[in-house]
């Protein structure tokens, strides 16, 4: 772990530098798969599933029989855990519903704003060793609350042509309307263009490897929206002497096990706490099953000593952490001062894992400093707002002249004329 | 004008096709300006201002003296018009403020969501013949309400090294914090990287030509967010026999004068109305100063006859118009059925110009079918939402086991361990 002692502001940029993302030159691969899927549809999907997932499928659709089978395979206790988590996610996201905003800006000029669901959304869930069924709760649940009509899920099949039962169980529980055994670039391409089998969607959500990340970027060129730009996951813990070193160490390690490029930072106003956390990390690291990944991420991690909490908060706002754990005496100061963060975890009994799975907040969050300008996924991610206006005869008489003057000053005579005609008709 | 009579659904895609956007191969130009601005800062800005705007400036900052001078140059009646419009925009966007969303998802598990301003935003306002000061009202006013600390505006200087007085007046009125005489690609690059003079921002808003559009796309590769993808402006009018043909024609023409690639569509359940509008368009077109531009756009425009309002609404939702004018008897049906639109104008006395300038709604709207998944600019465009959670000892005991089970099933032992350690400490 790298210890950094009271870095001067001029060094912050370097101190806070994130691990370099080696986005290899895979854009050409992505573009060629996109071109083929656009042109050949299902047959291109079949070809790439054979190539990348080593399995030949007659159909990519997951059948009701497969969903029922999956339900049998998931243990009752895991099902209950998933149900509890889903229920909390639902409670929190339902609370985010907003009413129609309606105002009369002038007599006879009624304006309002309403949110309407994005009708077709696509969710991508990676396959591989760890089946990320928790991400389905985070994406399908709010999509459902928002009222999206079509909620499509794509996830790669294993070599037996199957999807992990926990993924199918969660998808069915959370109201996914169609599930497809398609992964990687070809899944993103399918949802971008639509195929004979897989519907086109308007917005694509979900995590993925480098190929999926680049494919989502390319998808935006074809008019599809995406949840947010991607980057490696990261955690910043702010701790003083009121923190519990063992808990803090366990949080840093839970971030570190995500991948070797995970970013793990402890900021503390206490050198004693930094030393204690360091010792605890070594102790806990030894017994972890994903010890290799975690060790590499921990090697890149940073323990930063900062003299005062005021300076610490400036540094943290500059960094804009995806996950921000706060274990300090003066919580209120931190909560009032934090300007840039994805999700904030407060106190000694609020581990990041809670938000990853079951507290109710969303775990799809802005990484890479994007918390400065992007929100994590929330109910509004699945809606768009439309504005409306209705102007009466009295209303156009009230604001008509101002419109004429402004249109004229901008050199747009036809804009002015549309008002003049109406005003003249009322004379 | 192209008349289309009751097109079958299979033809809709072709009927609704938008004018091809000829995005020329200007990406390499954009990338080279970006590279130079990143490296050389202000001196690169000076160089490109000389090259593209044909003026050599010692400093790109607009001084207080220049702002004061501009205030003198704008007529009193235009100032009053701008003030009225600003006040309406302010009223509508202030009403969009949302309260903190706070829920207890389980006993001892408190979750909340708060919106915080994006601290630094950049607004781009094009120069040229028509000074688009109205766009400043639409961008700076909500930025100010949201609480953005730094609101930077860039606009190209004319050959005398000046910016149109109405732009400076509106910028100052709406709380822009810094104004720079920089245009085009170099302006977007400056706000992306920051220079010695111009601050780096987190999100860039505003319209522009092809070069600016591509520059904004490139900016997103460097971690800057943008308001939305751009495309030519468009209007769809839905009219039955209760509409006023002259008014409808004036609205179609006000859209057509924007540019030769503007998209203008009339959908009607009345052949009589279509014929009447066509006659009116020809009559009004003849006397417009921007007759050449408008004539070209009108040539590409479409008059679509559809038998029923139900089918018309399906077609309109498929098109997802930026501006949607509704002049029909059964307004309520349309308002309940519209799923995809940027802004909706209802009734015979609500021209698009009203929303362009002074009704209070925002005129920065999704074009090119993006209304299917993007909102127009609104108060939330200038904020991001942060989630918070605080879990008590009781709370972690309540949801801890579910987290352990799910983390275990996802193969993330350290995530599980962060909870186990806490649960054990409470035994």
């Amino acid at each position: 772990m790298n210890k950094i002692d009271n870095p001067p502001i001029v060094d912050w940029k370097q101190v806070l530098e994130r691990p370099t993302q080696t986005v290899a030159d895979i854009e050409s691969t992505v573009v060629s798969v996109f071109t083929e899927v656009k042109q050949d549809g299902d047959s291109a999907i079949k070809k790439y599933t054979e190539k990348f997932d080593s399995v030949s499928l007659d159909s990519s659709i997951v059948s009701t029989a497969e969903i029922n089978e999956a339900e049998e395979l998931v243990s009752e206790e895991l099902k209950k855990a998933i149900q509890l988590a889903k229920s909390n996610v639902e409670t929190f996201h339902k609370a985010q519903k907003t009413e129609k905003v309606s105002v009369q800006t002038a007599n006879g000029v009624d304006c309002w704003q309403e949110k309407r669901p994005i009708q077709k959304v696509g969710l991508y869930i990676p396959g591989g060793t760890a089946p990320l069924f928790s991400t389905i709760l985070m994406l399908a649940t709010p999509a459902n609350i928002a009222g999206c009509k079509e909620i499509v899920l794509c996830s790669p099949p294993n070599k037996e042509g199957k999807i992990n039962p926990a993924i199918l169980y969660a998808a069915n529980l959370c109201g996914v309307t169609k599930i497809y055994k398609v992964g990687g670039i070809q899944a993103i391409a399918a949802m971008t263009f639509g195929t004979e089998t897989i519907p086109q969607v308007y917005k694509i959500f979900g995590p993925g490897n480098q190929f999926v990340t680049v494919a989502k970027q390319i998808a935006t060129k074809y008019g599809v929206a995406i949840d947010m730009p991607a980057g490696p996951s990261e955690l910043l813990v702010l701790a003083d002497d009121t923190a519990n070193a063992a808990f803090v160490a366990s949080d840093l390690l839970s971030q570190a096990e995500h991948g070797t490029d995970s970013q793990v930072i402890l900021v503390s106003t206490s050198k004693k706490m930094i030393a204690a956390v360091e010792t605890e990390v070594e102790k806990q690291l030894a017994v972890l099953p994903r010890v290799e990944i975690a060790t590499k991420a921990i090697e890149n991690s940073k323990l930063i000593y900062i003299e005062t909490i005021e300076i610490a908060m400036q540094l943290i706002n500059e960094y804009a952490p995806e996950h921000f754990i706060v274990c300090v005496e003066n919580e209120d100061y931190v909560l009032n001062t934090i300007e840039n963060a994805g999700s904030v975890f407060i106190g000694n009994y609020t581990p990041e894992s809670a938000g990853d799975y079951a507290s109710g907040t969303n775990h799809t969050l802005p990484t890479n400093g994007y918390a400065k300008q992007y929100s994590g996924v929330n109910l509004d991610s699945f809606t768009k707002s439309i504005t409306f206006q209705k102007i009466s005869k009295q209303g156009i008489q009230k604001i008509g002249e101002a419109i004429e003057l402004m249109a004229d000053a901008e050199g747009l005579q036809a804009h002015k004329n549309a008002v003049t005609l109406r005003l003249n008709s009322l004379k």
Side-chain angles (χ1 to χ4, degrees), chain A:
Chain A
M1 300 179 90
N2 306 297
K3 277 199 214 172
I4 300 142
D5 194 0
N6 234 345
I9 291 189
V10 290
D11 290 352
W12 283 8
K13 200 173 171 184
Q14 190 210 322
V15 167
L16 298 177
E17 206 161 14
R18 288 163 162 96
T20 326
Q21 286 173 258
T22 49
V23 177
D25 186 21
I26 52 181
E27 203 169 304
S28 61
T29 310
V30 171
V31 169
S32 74
V33 175
F34 265 60
T35 310
E36 224 169 307
V37 170
K38 188 179 179 185
Q39 198 182 290
D40 301 336
D42 282 342
S43 74
I45 298 294
K46 189 173 161 62
K47 170 184 153 185
Y48 283 108
T49 300
E50 281 171 19
K51 184 172 175 186
F52 294 132
D53 301 310
S54 312
V55 61
S56 175
L57 296 177
D58 287 334
S59 164
S60 61
I61 306 177
V62 171
S63 68
T64 314
E66 284 176 288
I67 293 170
N68 294 339
E69 190 193 40
E71 191 153 343
E72 305 265 307
L73 291 170
V74 179
S75 75
E76 281 308 312
E77 60 176 1
L78 182 57
K79 275 187 213 168
K80 278 195 185 137
I82 292 176
Q83 285 161 17
L84 173 80
K86 185 225 168 192
S87 159
N88 288 350
V89 170
E90 203 164 55
T91 304
F92 186 58
H93 289 77
K94 267 190 184 160
Q96 292 167 26
K97 272 197 182 174
T98 45
E99 295 300 309
K100 165 176 161 178
V101 173
S102 188
V103 285
Q104 192 164 61
T105 53
N107 259 339
V109 182
D110 287 297
C111 299
W112 65 100
Q113 180 201 42
E114 284 183 48
K115 288 177 185 159
R116 306 252 158 129
I118 298 173
Q119 292 168 278
K120 301 174 190 182
V121 297
L123 318 181
Y124 183 76
I125 303 293
T129 48
L132 298 181
F133 57 84
S134 60
T135 302
I136 301 172
L137 309 186
M138 300 297 170
L139 299 178
T141 306
N144 227 318
I145 297 168
C148 303
K149 274 188 202 160
E150 188 120 67
I151 305 170
V152 173
L153 186 147
C154 287
S155 191
N158 63 17
K159 284 178 188 162
E160 285 72 48
K162 298 204 164 178
I163 290 180
N164 184 288
I167 288 183
L168 296 185
Y169 173 75
N172 192 47
L173 178 75
C174 299
V176 168
T177 53
K178 280 170 189 158
I179 311 172
Y180 299 93
K181 292 182 250 185
V182 188
I185 306 168
Q186 63 272 26
I188 306 301
M191 294 192 281
T192 301
F193 303 116
T195 70
E196 301 91 316
T197 307
I198 304 168
Q200 185 183 38
V201 302
Y202 301 148
K203 189 169 183 178
I204 298 175
F205 296 78
N209 60 18
Q210 255 185 21
F211 292 96
V212 171
T213 299
V214 174
K216 282 172 70 186
Q217 281 165 5
I218 299 289
T220 64
K221 289 197 180 175
Y222 293 97
V224 174
I226 61 170
D227 45 2
M228 69 188 78
S233 191
E234 59 199 28
L235 166 68
L236 188 147
V237 180
L238 175 67
D240 65 13
D241 284 322
T242 67
N244 177 316
F247 296 175
V248 171
S250 74
D251 293 327
L252 296 177
L253 285 168
S254 73
Q255 186 57 41
E257 80 175 334
H258 271 303
T260 53
D261 57 358
S262 277
Q263 174 90 315
V264 178
I265 298 178
L266 170 65
V267 173
S268 182
T269 48
S270 158
K271 290 192 177 175
K272 204 175 119 199
M273 180 53 61
I274 288 179
V277 170
E278 199 176 15
T279 309
E280 272 293 334
V281 165
E282 276 162 33
K283 204 170 108 189
Q284 294 179 28
L285 184 59
V287 297
L288 281 183
R290 290 166 79 107
V291 58
E292 272 182 45
I293 291 174
T295 305
K296 273 198 187 150
I298 282 292
E299 271 168 19
N300 295 321
S301 70
K302 286 159 190 167
L303 307 172
I304 307 176
Y305 168 74
I306 298 280
E307 263 179 339
T308 70
I309 196 162
E310 289 78 14
I311 301 175
M313 285 310 297
Q314 284 176 37
L315 178 115
I316 292 164
N317 278 324
E318 193 51 42
Y319 181 68
E322 179 193 13
H323 302 100
F324 177 34
I325 297 186
V326 182
C327 297
V328 296
E329 199 170 6
N330 193 352
E331 273 171 23
D332 285 348
Y333 175 75
V334 173
L335 300 190
N336 291 328
T337 327
I338 184 69
E339 286 169 333
N340 305 317
S343 194
V344 184
F345 302 77
I346 305 152
N348 289 329
Y349 293 90
T350 315
E352 190 209 299
S353 327
D356 286 341
Y357 291 108
S359 65
T361 60
N362 208 293
H363 79 197
T364 306
L365 298 166
T367 55
N368 210 27
Y370 286 120
K372 286 175 180 167
Q373 68 270 73
Y374 288 92
S375 310
V377 165
N378 57 69
L379 187 63
D380 281 345
S381 309
F382 299 90
T383 70
K384 71 268 178 182
S385 75
I386 305 180
T387 53
F388 298 82
Q389 55 235 287
K390 185 171 182 175
I391 303 178
S392 67
K393 291 176 185 173
Q394 188 197 10
I396 197 70
Q397 283 171 318
K398 193 101 188 161
I399 64 169
E401 199 194 338
I403 301 170
E404 289 180 310
L405 278 161
M406 291 173 76
D408 193 52
E410 287 194 352
L412 297 172
Q413 291 302 320
H415 280 65
K416 179 184 177 183
N417 197 42
V419 173
T420 309
L421 270 182
R422 284 162 168 99
L423 290 181
N424 285 344
S425 80
L426 296 172
K427 271 178 191 162

